PDB file of all heavy atoms in Angstrom:
ATOM      1  N   ARG B   2     -41.588  14.323 -39.292  1.00 45.00           N
ATOM      2  CA  ARG B   2     -42.086  13.211 -40.098  1.00 45.00           C
ATOM      3  C   ARG B   2     -43.553  13.451 -40.456  1.00 45.00           C
ATOM      4  O   ARG B   2     -44.317  13.867 -39.596  1.00 45.00           O
ATOM      5  CB  ARG B   2     -41.918  11.902 -39.360  1.00 45.00           C
ATOM      6  CG  ARG B   2     -41.771  10.742 -40.233  1.00 45.00           C
ATOM      7  CD  ARG B   2     -40.914   9.729 -39.482  1.00 45.00           C
ATOM      8  NE  ARG B   2     -40.945   8.471 -40.177  1.00 45.00           N
ATOM      9  CZ  ARG B   2     -40.216   8.209 -41.238  1.00 45.00           C
ATOM     10  NH1 ARG B   2     -39.403   9.079 -41.712  1.00 45.00           N
ATOM     11  NH2 ARG B   2     -40.280   7.049 -41.858  1.00 45.00           N
ATOM     12  N   SER B   3     -43.926  13.245 -41.668  1.00 45.00           N
ATOM     13  CA  SER B   3     -45.319  13.455 -42.060  1.00 45.00           C
ATOM     14  C   SER B   3     -45.885  12.241 -42.721  1.00 45.00           C
ATOM     15  O   SER B   3     -45.116  11.290 -43.023  1.00 45.00           O
ATOM     16  CB  SER B   3     -45.380  14.691 -42.984  1.00 45.00           C
ATOM     17  OG  SER B   3     -44.683  14.449 -44.164  1.00 45.00           O
ATOM     18  N   ARG B   4     -47.153  12.273 -42.920  1.00 46.00           N
ATOM     19  CA  ARG B   4     -47.835  11.124 -43.551  1.00 46.00           C
ATOM     20  C   ARG B   4     -47.400  11.089 -45.031  1.00 46.00           C
ATOM     21  O   ARG B   4     -47.214  12.087 -45.696  1.00 46.00           O
ATOM     22  CB  ARG B   4     -49.355  11.441 -43.498  1.00 46.00           C
ATOM     23  CG  ARG B   4     -50.222  10.344 -44.100  1.00 46.00           C
ATOM     24  CD  ARG B   4     -51.670  10.794 -43.968  1.00 46.00           C
ATOM     25  NE  ARG B   4     -51.985  10.879 -42.561  1.00 46.00           N
ATOM     26  CZ  ARG B   4     -52.946  10.121 -42.029  1.00 46.00           C
ATOM     27  NH1 ARG B   4     -53.646   9.267 -42.731  1.00 46.00           N
ATOM     28  NH2 ARG B   4     -53.187  10.248 -40.742  1.00 46.00           N
ATOM     29  N   PRO B   5     -47.277   9.864 -45.549  1.00 45.00           N
ATOM     30  CA  PRO B   5     -46.911   9.730 -46.986  1.00 45.00           C
ATOM     31  C   PRO B   5     -47.890  10.505 -47.844  1.00 45.00           C
ATOM     32  O   PRO B   5     -49.099  10.557 -47.543  1.00 45.00           O
ATOM     33  CB  PRO B   5     -46.973   8.220 -47.246  1.00 45.00           C
ATOM     34  CG  PRO B   5     -46.810   7.598 -45.888  1.00 45.00           C
ATOM     35  CD  PRO B   5     -47.415   8.575 -44.893  1.00 45.00           C
ATOM     36  N   THR B   6     -47.410  11.036 -48.925  1.00 42.00           N
ATOM     37  CA  THR B   6     -48.218  11.831 -49.839  1.00 42.00           C
ATOM     38  C   THR B   6     -49.388  10.991 -50.384  1.00 42.00           C
ATOM     39  O   THR B   6     -50.468  11.546 -50.641  1.00 42.00           O
ATOM     40  CB  THR B   6     -47.362  12.323 -51.053  1.00 42.00           C
ATOM     41  OG1 THR B   6     -46.238  12.973 -50.480  1.00 42.00           O
ATOM     42  CG2 THR B   6     -48.111  13.281 -51.869  1.00 42.00           C
ATOM     43  N   SER B   7     -49.197   9.734 -50.580  1.00 42.00           N
ATOM     44  CA  SER B   7     -50.174   8.899 -51.187  1.00 42.00           C
ATOM     45  C   SER B   7     -51.326   8.515 -50.309  1.00 42.00           C
ATOM     46  O   SER B   7     -52.289   7.847 -50.739  1.00 42.00           O
ATOM     47  CB  SER B   7     -49.540   7.597 -51.726  1.00 42.00           C
ATOM     48  OG  SER B   7     -48.882   6.923 -50.679  1.00 42.00           O
ATOM     49  N   SER B   8     -51.301   8.916 -49.038  1.00 45.00           N
ATOM     50  CA  SER B   8     -52.420   8.576 -48.152  1.00 45.00           C
ATOM     51  C   SER B   8     -52.863   9.799 -47.364  1.00 45.00           C
ATOM     52  O   SER B   8     -52.140  10.804 -47.259  1.00 45.00           O
ATOM     53  CB  SER B   8     -52.004   7.462 -47.189  1.00 45.00           C
ATOM     54  OG  SER B   8     -50.980   7.890 -46.327  1.00 45.00           O
ATOM     55  N   GLY B   9     -54.041   9.759 -46.859  1.00 48.00           N
ATOM     56  CA  GLY B   9     -54.583  10.853 -46.059  1.00 48.00           C
ATOM     57  C   GLY B   9     -55.350  11.854 -46.913  1.00 48.00           C
ATOM     58  O   GLY B   9     -55.312  11.845 -48.113  1.00 48.00           O
ATOM     59  N   ARG B  10     -56.107  12.706 -46.232  1.00 49.00           N
ATOM     60  CA  ARG B  10     -56.898  13.742 -46.916  1.00 49.00           C
ATOM     61  C   ARG B  10     -55.979  14.824 -47.397  1.00 49.00           C
ATOM     62  O   ARG B  10     -55.090  15.267 -46.670  1.00 49.00           O
ATOM     63  CB  ARG B  10     -57.911  14.313 -45.904  1.00 49.00           C
ATOM     64  CG  ARG B  10     -58.962  13.382 -45.457  1.00 49.00           C
ATOM     65  CD  ARG B  10     -60.069  14.080 -44.644  1.00 49.00           C
ATOM     66  NE  ARG B  10     -59.794  15.436 -44.242  1.00 49.00           N
ATOM     67  CZ  ARG B  10     -59.709  15.782 -42.948  1.00 49.00           C
ATOM     68  NH1 ARG B  10     -59.893  14.940 -41.965  1.00 49.00           N
ATOM     69  NH2 ARG B  10     -59.468  17.064 -42.647  1.00 49.00           N
ATOM     70  N   PRO B  11     -56.207  15.328 -48.601  1.00 48.00           N
ATOM     71  CA  PRO B  11     -55.332  16.416 -49.092  1.00 48.00           C
ATOM     72  C   PRO B  11     -55.449  17.707 -48.316  1.00 48.00           C
ATOM     73  O   PRO B  11     -54.552  18.522 -48.330  1.00 48.00           O
ATOM     74  CB  PRO B  11     -55.799  16.584 -50.541  1.00 48.00           C
ATOM     75  CG  PRO B  11     -57.124  15.975 -50.635  1.00 48.00           C
ATOM     76  CD  PRO B  11     -57.221  14.919 -49.525  1.00 48.00           C
ATOM     77  N   ASP B  12     -56.556  17.929 -47.600  1.00 51.00           N
ATOM     78  CA  ASP B  12     -56.728  19.159 -46.866  1.00 51.00           C
ATOM     79  C   ASP B  12     -56.343  19.041 -45.406  1.00 51.00           C
ATOM     80  O   ASP B  12     -56.513  19.958 -44.621  1.00 51.00           O
ATOM     81  CB  ASP B  12     -58.206  19.666 -46.964  1.00 51.00           C
ATOM     82  CG  ASP B  12     -59.173  18.647 -46.339  1.00 51.00           C
ATOM     83  OD1 ASP B  12     -58.821  17.434 -46.246  1.00 51.00           O
ATOM     84  OD2 ASP B  12     -60.272  19.070 -45.968  1.00 51.00           O
ATOM     85  N   HIS B  13     -55.818  17.912 -44.999  1.00 47.00           N
ATOM     86  CA  HIS B  13     -55.453  17.644 -43.595  1.00 47.00           C
ATOM     87  C   HIS B  13     -53.968  17.773 -43.411  1.00 47.00           C
ATOM     88  O   HIS B  13     -53.167  17.073 -44.037  1.00 47.00           O
ATOM     89  CB  HIS B  13     -55.933  16.223 -43.247  1.00 47.00           C
ATOM     90  CG  HIS B  13     -55.725  15.936 -41.768  1.00 47.00           C
ATOM     91  ND1 HIS B  13     -56.305  16.626 -40.745  1.00 47.00           N
ATOM     92  CD2 HIS B  13     -54.946  14.981 -41.200  1.00 47.00           C
ATOM     93  CE1 HIS B  13     -55.929  16.138 -39.600  1.00 47.00           C
ATOM     94  NE2 HIS B  13     -55.113  15.118 -39.824  1.00 47.00           N
ATOM     95  N   ASP B  14     -53.573  18.712 -42.550  1.00 51.00           N
ATOM     96  CA  ASP B  14     -52.151  18.950 -42.344  1.00 51.00           C
ATOM     97  C   ASP B  14     -51.861  18.993 -40.821  1.00 51.00           C
ATOM     98  O   ASP B  14     -51.665  20.045 -40.237  1.00 51.00           O
ATOM     99  CB  ASP B  14     -51.807  20.315 -42.966  1.00 51.00           C
ATOM    100  CG  ASP B  14     -50.336  20.688 -42.841  1.00 51.00           C
ATOM    101  OD1 ASP B  14     -49.510  19.781 -42.616  1.00 51.00           O
ATOM    102  OD2 ASP B  14     -50.011  21.894 -42.994  1.00 51.00           O
ATOM    103  N   PRO B  15     -51.856  17.793 -40.183  1.00 49.00           N
ATOM    104  CA  PRO B  15     -51.705  17.793 -38.720  1.00 49.00           C
ATOM    105  C   PRO B  15     -50.362  18.290 -38.260  1.00 49.00           C
ATOM    106  O   PRO B  15     -50.232  18.775 -37.117  1.00 49.00           O
ATOM    107  CB  PRO B  15     -51.895  16.280 -38.353  1.00 49.00           C
ATOM    108  CG  PRO B  15     -51.503  15.567 -39.625  1.00 49.00           C
ATOM    109  CD  PRO B  15     -51.937  16.466 -40.745  1.00 49.00           C
ATOM    110  N   ALA B  16     -49.312  18.212 -39.081  1.00 51.00           N
ATOM    111  CA  ALA B  16     -47.982  18.690 -38.673  1.00 51.00           C
ATOM    112  C   ALA B  16     -47.862  20.199 -38.821  1.00 51.00           C
ATOM    113  O   ALA B  16     -46.864  20.755 -38.392  1.00 51.00           O
ATOM    114  CB  ALA B  16     -46.951  17.974 -39.537  1.00 51.00           C
ATOM    115  N   GLY B  17     -48.852  20.868 -39.431  1.00 57.00           N
ATOM    116  CA  GLY B  17     -48.759  22.309 -39.564  1.00 57.00           C
ATOM    117  C   GLY B  17     -47.755  22.753 -40.572  1.00 57.00           C
ATOM    118  O   GLY B  17     -47.171  23.839 -40.488  1.00 57.00           O
ATOM    119  N   ASN B  18     -47.524  21.906 -41.598  1.00 63.00           N
ATOM    120  CA  ASN B  18     -46.489  22.282 -42.595  1.00 63.00           C
ATOM    121  C   ASN B  18     -46.850  23.533 -43.392  1.00 63.00           C
ATOM    122  O   ASN B  18     -45.974  24.175 -43.919  1.00 63.00           O
ATOM    123  CB  ASN B  18     -46.250  21.119 -43.546  1.00 63.00           C
ATOM    124  CG  ASN B  18     -45.542  19.963 -42.832  1.00 63.00           C
ATOM    125  OD1 ASN B  18     -44.613  20.181 -42.125  1.00 63.00           O
ATOM    126  ND2 ASN B  18     -45.988  18.754 -43.045  1.00 63.00           N
ATOM    127  N   GLY B  19     -48.106  23.865 -43.483  1.00 70.00           N
ATOM    128  CA  GLY B  19     -48.505  25.114 -44.147  1.00 70.00           C
ATOM    129  C   GLY B  19     -47.922  26.351 -43.482  1.00 70.00           C
ATOM    130  O   GLY B  19     -47.727  27.347 -44.143  1.00 70.00           O
ATOM    131  N   ASP B  20     -47.607  26.212 -42.182  1.00 76.00           N
ATOM    132  CA  ASP B  20     -46.990  27.314 -41.467  1.00 76.00           C
ATOM    133  C   ASP B  20     -45.601  27.639 -42.014  1.00 76.00           C
ATOM    134  O   ASP B  20     -45.113  28.761 -41.801  1.00 76.00           O
ATOM    135  CB  ASP B  20     -46.877  26.993 -39.996  1.00 76.00           C
ATOM    136  CG  ASP B  20     -48.197  26.878 -39.321  1.00 76.00           C
ATOM    137  OD1 ASP B  20     -49.223  27.339 -39.897  1.00 76.00           O
ATOM    138  OD2 ASP B  20     -48.277  26.330 -38.162  1.00 76.00           O
TER     139      ASP B  20
END
Side-chain angles (χ1 to χ4, degrees):
R2 208 152 168 80
S3 62
R4 181 181 297 241
T6 307
S7 58
S8 64
R10 293 188 349 241
D12 63 335
H13 184 62
D14 183 19
N18 290 316
D20 293 345

